[in-house]
């Protein structure tokens, strides 16, 4: 009987953790062991370039998986570099010394070899699903092979063992099922092949396993009664070259789209496909998609933003939120960087400096790609904006406007210029020299806003008005404050900065008239003024005190209990015949004049899209003077 060796103390601790499983996803053991096999092949493959004694060429390298259900055993076999006695002691007896890491250092001069995983917790994850693990291995150039065996925390043994070929076979004796844990699933072909697809699809070497399938018997295809037989054949489970690693010119649009549909369960044609390859502080490749349609749950809290994070073709995080800013949360895609460790935890990642660097460069890239889409393919951009414009506006408003400068050129608005959307830049380009402000008006629909009486003067000057129909629009404009040194100005504003505002006032003692109207209406309005902006309409209602009517409606829907109200200011066109008629009545028939005041008030509410308090009373009022 051979003496058992103890694991180094820190390894023992790790092993304990593994046996009692720190990972909630036990399934990752397969990813770890396959990555080790792939690393080992990388090493031998590298040596084979200069050493004929290896006797293998690139196509010969592969990883074999077998399942023996009856004996509850799975094996992972590679024809990589293998280990000798010393390696087994050092590599599998200790975690702190990582073989991959040292190999990488040695090969520094030819920095072409990238090797996954620089921290050695990987191998021990086998103990999450196995109660006994054997590594049967022979190192390249060594005389004999070895068998390393361990049943966990009590240590391991190493003995010499005959082995013909160079490489390693890792054998896992799968644990029995318990009340809470099902280990038998890992003895199912479909489950193992599914895990390979999920985590190891882009391992560069074929991962081969016997698959048993039912097939139509030869010669009976197409006949009325096709016969079936069960066939077992070796199949390569992984697709090997990740699409994002292939040169862009070799990948068709259809392939990129298919990947998008398969991977992200999307159905739309992406508005933009972004590929990027960065070498620098952090080296990475990314393949990103800007959808053309918002997923049905996009504007709910069920939607999760994030990109998939790979380390040299191995999936390390399904949804890495930190890679995307909120305003680009619609973007889907993958990032692959050899600079991230396979075993990095979510907690560590959140503070990871490299990750932040990647996120920053990606944000810039996405922004630039959207700008270029806007310039080059207006129709697609407008369609995209229809789906995600609200998100960009949220991006401007949130975080105290931190991102407004980078996002403002991506915005689009309806305007009085045409029935097409306009950018702020285009609006400013169209401004005449004497126009001081960027005018905007808010309302529920483009049609409604275009007919607002208070828009009349601005429009009559030939100035353009941005039509804000979404509740977020006004907040966006308030956050922006100006665009290219031009300030925004609501058409409700007292001072529109327009020369020759409608200042003529044909009514004498108009102050008394305004006072009369205010008294008739009481607290319903905060102010009654002689309008400078009305041209052909008799009245309008404008909002004072920083809260507009659209905001009032928004707040009423969001926080009804807060009772946020815009201050109502009734503006009268003192040159309008109907207003003059009321002036005539004051002092002669005050009762009737008061009715006029009530009617003007209700009309102004209606035009502003605000509910009138008592529709039937209003109807009676109108009838009473007809
Ligand atoms: P890591 O792979 O992160 O270094 P592991 O605990 O998974 O950590 O493995 C420890 C070391 O054991 C590896 O660095 C490698 O040197 C060695 N090793 C593991 N599996 C194999 C294998 N299949 N073939 C050769 N060496 C291996």
């Amino acid at each position: 009987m051979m003496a058992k060796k103890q694991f180094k103390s820190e390894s023992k601790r790790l092993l304990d953790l593994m046996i009692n499983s720190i990972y909630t996803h036990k399934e990752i053991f397969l990813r770890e062991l396959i990555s080790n096999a792939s690393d080992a092949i990388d090493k031998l493959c590298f040596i084979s370039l200069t050493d004929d004694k290896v006797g293998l060429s690139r196509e010969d390298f592969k990883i074999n998986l077998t399942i023996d259900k009856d004996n509850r055993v799975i094996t992972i076999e590679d024809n990589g570099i293998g280990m000798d006695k010393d390696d087994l002691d050092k590599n599998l007896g200790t975690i702190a010394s990582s073989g991959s890491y040292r190999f990488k250092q040695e090969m520094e001069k030819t920095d072409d070899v990238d090797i996954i995983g620089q921290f050695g917790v990987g191998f021990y994850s086998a103990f999450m699903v196995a109660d006994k693990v054997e590594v049967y291995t022979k190192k390249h150039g060594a005389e004999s092979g070895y068998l390393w065996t361990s049943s966990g925390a009590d240590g391991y043994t190493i003995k010499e063992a005959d082995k013909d070929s160079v490489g390693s076979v890792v054998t896992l004796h799968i644990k029995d099922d318990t009340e809470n844990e099902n280990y038998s699933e890992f003895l199912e072909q479909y489950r193992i092949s599914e895990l390979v697809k999920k985590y190891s699809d882009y391992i560069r070497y074929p991962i081969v396993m016997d698959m048993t399938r039912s097939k139509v018997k030869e010669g009976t295809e197409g006949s009325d009664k096709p016969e079936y037989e069960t066939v077992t054949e070796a199949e390569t489970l992984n697709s090997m070259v990740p699409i994002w690693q292939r040169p862009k010119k070799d990948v068709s649009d259809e392939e990129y789209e298919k990947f998008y549909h398969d991977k992200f369960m999307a159905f739309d044609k992406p508005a933009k496909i972004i590929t990027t390859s960065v070498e620098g502080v952090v080296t990475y490749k990314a393949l990103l998609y800007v959808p053309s349609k918002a997923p049905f749950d996009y504007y709910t809290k069920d939607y999760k933003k994030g990109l998939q994070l790979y380390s040299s073709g191995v999936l390390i995080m399904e949804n890495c939120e930190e890679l995307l800013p909120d305003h680009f949360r619609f973007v889907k895609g993958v990032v692959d960087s050899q600079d991230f460790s396979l075993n990095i935890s979510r907690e560590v990642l959140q503070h990871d400096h490299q990750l932040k660097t990647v996120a920053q460069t990606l944000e810039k890239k996405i922004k630039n790609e959207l700008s270029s889409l806007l310039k080059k393919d207006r129709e697609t951009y407008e369609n995209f904006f229809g789906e995600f414009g609200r998100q960009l506006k949220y991006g401007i408003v949130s975080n105290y406007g931190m991102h407004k400068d980078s996002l403002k050129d991506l915005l689009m608005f309806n305007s009085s210029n045409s029935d097409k959307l306009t950018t702020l830049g285009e609006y400013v380009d169209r401004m005449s020299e004497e126009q001081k402000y960027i005018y905007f008006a808010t309302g529920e629909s483009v049609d409604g806003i275009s007919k607002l009486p208070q828009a009349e003067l601005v429009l009559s000057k030939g100035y353009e008005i941005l039509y804000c129909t979404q509740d977020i629009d006004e907040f966006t404009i308030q956050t922006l404050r100006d665009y290219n040194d031009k300030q925004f100005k609501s058409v409700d504003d007292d001072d529109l900065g327009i020369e020759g505002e409608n200042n003529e006032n044909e009514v004498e003692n108009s102050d008394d008239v305004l006072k009369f109207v205010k008294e008739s209406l009481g607290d319903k309005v905060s102010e009654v003024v002689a309008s400078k902006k009305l041209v052909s309409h008799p009245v309008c209602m404008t909002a004072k005190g920083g809260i507009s009517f659209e905001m009032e409606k928004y707040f009423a829907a969001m926080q009804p209990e807060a009772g946020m109200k815009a201050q109502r200011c009734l503006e009268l066109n003192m040159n309008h015949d109907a207003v003059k008629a009321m002036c005539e009545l004051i002092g002669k028939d005050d009762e009737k004049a008061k009715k006029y005041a009530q009617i003007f008030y209700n009309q102004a509410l209606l035009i502003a899209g605000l509910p009138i308090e008592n529709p039937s009373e209003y109807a009676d009022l109108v009838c009473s003077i007809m």
Side-chain angles (χ1 to χ4, degrees):
M1 184 68 207
M2 219 176 332
K4 262 206 182 121
K5 291 196 177 185
Q6 294 301 307
F7 287 103
K8 297 264 160 50
S9 63
E10 75 275 31
S11 313
K12 207 169 162 199
R13 229 174 300 133
L14 184 70
L15 199 63
D16 278 337
L17 282 171
M18 285 298 167
I19 292 165
N20 303 308
S21 182
I22 51 164
Y23 284 117
T24 36
H25 302 300
K26 292 195 159 54
E27 60 187 37
I28 64 109
F29 80 92
L30 190 64
R31 175 192 83 170
E32 300 290 315
L33 297 179
I34 288 176
S35 291
N36 280 350
S38 167
D39 280 358
I41 295 178
D42 273 347
K43 291 174 192 168
L44 190 58
C45 191
F46 186 77
I47 293 169
S48 75
L49 300 175
T50 51
D51 182 352
D52 293 341
K53 285 203 287 295
V54 174
L56 294 171
S57 54
R58 177 68 178 76
E59 316 79 66
D60 301 324
F61 291 106
K62 63 175 178 182
I63 298 164
N64 261 314
L65 306 181
T66 68
I67 300 176
D68 178 350
K69 217 169 160 173
D70 296 338
N71 293 310
R72 298 186 71 81
V73 163
I74 19 185
T75 65
I76 298 106
E77 176 180 7
D78 66 71
N79 51 356
I81 193 156
M83 285 178 273
D84 60 17
K85 194 163 184 275
D86 239 26
D87 293 334
L88 284 168
D89 243 341
K90 263 192 249 141
N91 297 336
L92 303 188
T94 329
I95 49 150
S97 80
S98 164
S100 302
Y101 182 60
R102 256 178 290 126
F103 178 81
K104 197 171 180 177
Q105 280 183 324
E106 268 179 49
M107 296 292 179
E108 208 106 73
K109 300 130 232 161
T110 54
D111 53 3
D112 208 11
V113 217
D114 55 277
I115 288 163
I116 312 157
Q118 301 187 4
F119 302 110
V121 293
F123 175 79
Y124 294 125
S125 65
F127 287 98
M128 296 194 299
V129 298
D131 44 24
K132 182 175 166 193
V133 179
E134 291 162 312
V135 182
Y136 176 48
T137 178
K138 184 178 177 186
K139 190 171 182 167
H140 163 68
E143 290 293 312
S144 79
Y146 291 91
L147 181 66
W148 179 98
T149 311
S150 171
S151 303
D154 61 339
Y156 60 90
T157 58
I158 300 174
K159 65 175 184 194
E160 226 177 283
D162 281 342
K163 191 173 189 298
D164 293 337
S165 56
V166 167
S168 309
V169 184
V170 178
T171 304
L172 307 183
H173 297 266
I174 300 296
K175 293 180 187 175
D176 288 327
D177 294 342
T178 65
E179 216 172 287
N180 305 321
E181 301 279 356
N182 170 16
Y183 298 102
S184 298
E185 60 175 297
F186 300 120
L187 294 162
E188 300 295 338
Q189 256 180 31
Y190 79 90
R191 181 74 174 118
I192 294 294
S193 70
E194 184 184 80
L195 289 178
V196 171
K197 265 269 170 243
K198 179 169 177 188
Y199 291 110
S200 312
D201 199 32
Y202 307 118
I203 291 287
R204 283 180 293 277
Y205 309 100
I207 302 169
V208 182
M209 187 169 75
D210 277 348
M211 294 292 282
T212 306
R213 293 184 199 278
S214 165
K215 276 194 174 166
V216 179
K217 243 189 197 162
E218 221 173 298
T220 72
E221 314 100 323
S223 77
D224 292 345
K225 281 202 194 105
E227 287 172 37
Y228 290 88
E229 60 183 346
T230 312
V231 185
T232 302
E233 281 169 335
E235 281 183 27
T236 298
L237 305 176
N238 55 331
S239 47
M240 291 187 266
V241 184
I243 192 167
W244 60 87
Q245 295 286 4
R246 290 162 59 191
K248 196 174 179 188
K249 63 174 178 29
D250 295 348
V251 185
S252 66
D253 285 353
E254 289 74 34
E255 279 177 280
Y256 278 132
E257 273 172 38
K258 183 174 183 314
F259 179 75
Y260 171 64
H261 293 156
D262 292 350
K263 191 94 180 169
F264 304 107
M265 285 185 290
F267 303 101
D268 57 321
K269 183 181 164 61
K272 183 88 196 168
I273 299 169
I274 304 172
T275 55
T276 176
S277 175
V278 174
E279 279 174 40
V281 194
V282 189
T283 297
Y284 69 90
K285 283 198 167 72
L287 170 59
L288 309 178
Y289 296 88
V290 177
S292 62
K293 259 203 108 30
F296 69 94
D297 62 350
Y298 185 71
Y299 286 104
T300 73
K301 59 178 183 320
D302 291 338
Y303 180 87
K304 297 264 176 296
K305 72 161 180 172
L307 300 175
Q308 292 197 336
L309 184 60
Y310 283 80
S311 168
S312 295
V314 178
L315 179 67
I316 58 175
M317 203 171 284
E318 199 113 36
N319 214 46
C320 183
E321 293 171 33
E322 290 76 15
L323 283 170
L324 282 179
D326 275 341
H327 48 269
F328 292 149
R329 65 203 282 278
F330 46 80
V331 174
K332 300 263 167 219
V334 299
V335 174
D336 190 342
S337 169
Q338 67 201 50
D339 295 337
F340 291 112
S341 145
L342 198 55
N343 297 299
I344 195 156
S345 73
R346 184 168 281 280
E347 291 69 35
V348 173
L349 255 186
Q350 273 166 359
H351 308 286
D352 190 87
H353 190 68
Q354 293 182 317
L355 194 76
K356 289 213 174 82
T357 313
V358 177
Q360 275 162 8
T361 48
L362 283 181
E363 180 179 351
K364 265 196 212 111
K365 179 78 184 170
I366 296 168
K367 144 107 214 274
N368 292 341
E369 292 285 333
L370 287 175
S371 302
S372 103
L373 184 67
L374 170 59
K375 276 192 207 95
K376 292 184 190 141
D377 185 354
R378 180 85 172 201
E379 197 184 323
T380 305
Y381 187 85
E382 283 188 15
N383 173 48
F384 152 80
F385 193 81
E387 296 287 314
F388 299 107
R390 184 181 281 274
Q391 182 70 65
L392 298 180
K393 293 172 194 167
Y394 283 134
I396 292 207
V397 173
S398 58
N399 294 310
Y400 309 100
M402 197 169 114
H403 300 289
K404 67 179 183 182
D405 284 333
S406 90
L407 295 177
K408 62 184 183 200
D409 287 314
L410 295 176
L411 294 181
M412 299 197 105
F413 291 92
N414 284 109
S415 94
S416 58
N417 180 55
S418 76
D419 53 10
K420 299 240 162 59
L421 292 169
T422 181
T423 66
L424 294 173
E426 288 159 355
Y427 179 109
V428 170
D429 284 346
R430 281 191 294 265
M431 280 171 76
S432 62
E433 242 171 63
E434 74 271 18
Q435 183 180 343
K436 288 194 210 132
Y437 300 112
I438 301 174
Y439 295 102
F440 71 95
T442 56
E444 257 157 37
S445 69
V446 166
D447 200 42
I449 305 175
S450 66
K451 296 198 175 97
L452 282 176
Q454 59 266 49
E456 213 179 2
L457 180 67
V458 179
L459 292 176
S460 74
K461 279 276 164 191
Y463 297 161
E464 185 175 345
I465 299 178
L466 297 178
Y467 292 158
C468 301
T469 51
Q470 284 184 339
D471 45 31
I472 185 78
D473 285 342
E474 238 185 310
F475 296 104
T476 309
I477 283 177
Q478 283 192 352
T479 309
L480 286 173
R481 283 210 288 273
D482 54 44
Y483 179 87
N484 285 6
D485 297 334
K486 304 280 183 201
Q487 275 180 11
F488 289 97
K489 187 74 124 180
S490 162
V491 297
D492 276 4
D493 209 283
D494 278 341
D495 173 19
L496 291 172
I498 293 178
E499 300 262 324
E501 279 178 271
N502 213 6
N503 283 328
E504 290 159 49
N505 181 353
E506 293 168 19
V507 174
E508 290 167 36
N509 59 19
S510 62
D511 283 352
D512 293 344
V513 172
L514 299 173
K515 210 168 139 210
F516 176 86
V517 177
K518 169 75 179 98
E519 274 165 14
S520 325
L521 296 175
D523 289 343
K524 288 179 186 166
V525 292
S526 61
E527 232 182 314
V528 179
V529 299
S531 179
K532 292 181 193 165
K533 45 177 114 68
L534 290 174
V535 182
S536 66
H537 296 275
V539 286
C540 71
M541 190 73 83
T542 51
K544 290 279 140 67
I547 298 179
S548 71
F549 297 132
E550 290 316 304
M551 283 187 184
E552 175 182 312
K553 287 180 214 162
Y554 175 78
F555 286 124
M558 303 304 286
Q559 306 164 290
E561 66 288 350
M564 292 263 249
K565 278 218 180 287
Q567 288 176 28
R568 285 153 167 66
C569 171
L570 181 67
E571 300 199 15
L572 296 177
N573 180 352
M574 302 311 273
N575 302 328
H576 195 280
D577 287 343
V579 177
K580 283 191 210 155
M582 178 184 66
C583 298
E584 292 293 319
L585 288 170
I586 296 172
K588 292 187 195 118
D589 184 351
D590 280 356
E591 273 318 298
K592 198 165 183 189
K594 273 185 195 161
K595 284 185 179 174
Y596 272 62
Q598 293 290 347
I599 290 173
F600 284 141
Y601 166 72
N602 281 296
Q603 282 181 339
L605 286 179
L606 283 172
I607 296 167
L610 294 163
I612 55 175
E613 288 126 43
N614 196 332
S616 69
E617 212 170 79
Y618 171 64
D620 290 345
L621 197 62
V622 174
C623 290
S624 74
I625 59 159
M626 273 162 82

